Amino acid sequence: ADVLVINKVDSARPEDVEALMRTAAEMNPDATVVQTRSCISVEEPERIEGARVLVIEDGPTVTHGGMAYGAGALAAKEHGAAELVDPRPHAAGSLADTLADYPHLTEVLPAMGYSTEQLADLEETIRQTPCDLVLVGTPMDLTHVIDIDQPALRVTYSVESAGVPSLETVVEEFVERMGLGSSS
């Protein structure tokens, strides 16, 4: 690769970022390395404070990716949720199987897919889970494809450069070098 992007340098341990930088330099010394951070945002974050929150995360990230949480859980904790509700006792259908297969998931509900059955299982699990608020931390806004009876907020994140060279500069240089800029 010509460019390597190391994301989440703001939340990773500094020694892990340094180790990754060393590995990148060792394995691909000619690559440009860009460091970025993921900036989490949620509309009306004050609604999270003191709430019992059900967090829905991107399924593949927290299952196959092995993470115990994602942007939704980080937003809940950052904004003072009283509790991240354990979805396991309330899981319906295929989600019960998924949560059994991934026992590290105790504070988040993975959205595993968008088939009719998967969406019905997700909707039923949410409906059965006693919570004050649902935080949707998935790439897709689930409120467009399922009914969520509880109040719900969407958690999103953006990637921002965290050093030099910036991601923007690297992309601009690539566009210029490839002659892909505007023809005017």
Side-chain angles (χ1 to χ4, degrees), residues 5 7-8 12 24 29 36 42 53 60 62 72 93 110 112 114-115 121 126 133 147 156 163-164 168 174:
V5 178
N7 192 22
K8 300 182 182 180
T36 61
V42 58
V53 176
V62 296
M112 292 306 297
Y114 301 104
S115 73
D121 292 344
I126 296 166
L133 182 67
D147 292 324
T156 59
V164 177
E168 294 82 2
F174 173 79

Side-chain angles (χ1 to χ4, degrees), residues 57-61 111 114 136-142 154-157:
E57 301 282 17
D58 175 55
T61 298
Y114 301 104
V136 179
T138 58
M140 178 181 180
D141 186 351
L142 293 173
R154 180 105 193 274
V155 177
T156 59
Y157 67 91

Side-chain angles (χ1 to χ4, degrees), residues 33-136:
V33 178
V34 176
Q35 293 186 27
T36 61
R37 58 182 159 262
S38 291
C39 300
I40 297 170
S41 62
V42 58
E43 290 185 17
E44 302 179 80
E46 66 278 1
R47 292 177 56 193
I48 299 171
E49 187 174 350
R52 293 174 313 127
V53 176
L54 172 62
V55 176
I56 305 171
E57 301 282 17
D58 175 55
T61 298
V62 296
T63 57
H64 301 81
M67 293 178 57
Y69 59 87
L74 290 173
K77 291 175 181 179
E78 178 181 331
H79 295 291
E83 173 187 1
L84 273 65
V85 177
D86 183 351
R88 294 173 300 172
H90 316 286
S94 62
L95 280 173
D97 297 334
T98 298
L99 289 168
D101 290 343
Y102 297 94
H104 70 282
L105 298 179
T106 60
E107 296 185 320
V108 301
L109 177 62
M112 292 306 297
Y114 301 104
S115 73
T116 302
E117 178 188 347
Q118 290 167 322
L119 290 173
D121 292 344
L122 183 60
E123 190 173 295
E124 184 61 24
T125 300
I126 296 166
R127 185 176 293 110
Q128 294 181 74
T129 303
C131 63
D132 304 316
L133 182 67
V134 175
L135 285 182
V136 179

Side-chain angles (χ1 to χ4, degrees), residues 179-184:
L180 301 173
S182 130
S183 60
S184 52

